Amino acid sequence: MTSESAILFGQFLRSPAATGAVAASSRRLSEAVCVPVPERGDPVVVELGPGTGPFTAEIQRRLGGRGRHLAVEINSRLAGRLAARCPGVELVVDDAVRLPELLAGRGVAAADVIVSGLPWAAFPPAHQAGLLRAVVASLAPGGAFTTFSYVHARALPAALRFRRRLGREFEEVVAGRTVWRNLPPAFVYHARRPRR
């Protein structure tokens, strides 16, 4: 087990609802989740729950030094390690439910893309709803939101509730193919055009 995996697993054992993952996401899942990150222009990309940084690395690769990349991580230990490894990322240690205020405090009117590594199916209904409202309020009108779910959790009540909420909050929601080369296997949700 790599040191990053060991740290993530330890954080999961301490707080499974907040950490949500027992292993870092694979490169293939990272690529699938980060598809909406534009490869031109100067977009504002916000990342929620970067953890040990697999999505962070892919976002940075796609941006290639352009735009702005803000990451919101509630776990200060994970955030500290990520800040040391990725100095080009504006890392904020806070709760993503405060996203509109966090962006406003940094002079950001709206995000072009929000990439989420948050464990949506682990959240109680009120927290899940509050987080999704924060995402919708923080996106530009034509913005994109992308996240993932583990295949084994697809039929859980919290996962079904999240999928219904996505449909209410966005004009378009597309579930991608299953990424089998991930532990555990996962699929991606791409949502566009938040409903105001």
Side-chain angles (χ1 to χ4, degrees), residues 175-194:
R177 292 188 195 148
T178 300
V179 178
W180 294 106
R181 289 186 172 180
N182 192 72
L183 181 65
F187 63 96
V188 178
Y189 285 122
H190 294 291
R192 293 190 180 277
R193 296 184 305 280

Side-chain angles (χ1 to χ4, degrees), residues 4-6 13 21-22 27 30 43 60 69 85-86 120 144 148-150 161 188 194:
E4 296 299 323
S5 296
L13 291 176
V22 296
R27 181 182 54 82
S30 299
Q60 287 288 287
H69 180 183
R85 285 192 9 251
C86 301
W120 293 95
F148 72 97
S149 179
Y150 294 123
R161 181 177 59 245
V188 178

Side-chain angles (χ1 to χ4, degrees), residues 51-153:
T52 58
F55 297 167
T56 309
E58 180 63 16
I59 292 167
Q60 287 288 287
R61 186 191 72 74
R62 286 176 179 264
L63 288 176
R66 299 171 297 105
R68 198 163 171 190
H69 180 183
L70 292 92
V72 181
E73 174 59 61
I74 199 167
N75 183 310
S76 59
R77 181 165 184 208
L78 294 177
R81 291 184 63 86
L82 190 60
R85 285 192 9 251
C86 301
V89 178
E90 295 176 55
L91 198 56
V92 182
V93 180
D94 210 319
D95 191 329
V97 79
R98 293 183 5 87
L99 188 58
E101 301 96 272
L102 297 174
L103 294 182
R106 284 158 182 80
V108 176
D112 298 300
V113 178
I114 296 179
V115 172
S116 173
L118 297 176
W120 293 95
F123 296 140
H127 191 58
Q128 195 181 76
L131 280 166
L132 201 50
R133 277 193 303 271
V135 165
V136 169
S138 300
L139 270 173
F145 170 64
T146 182
T147 190
F148 72 97
S149 179
Y150 294 123
V151 169
H152 70 274

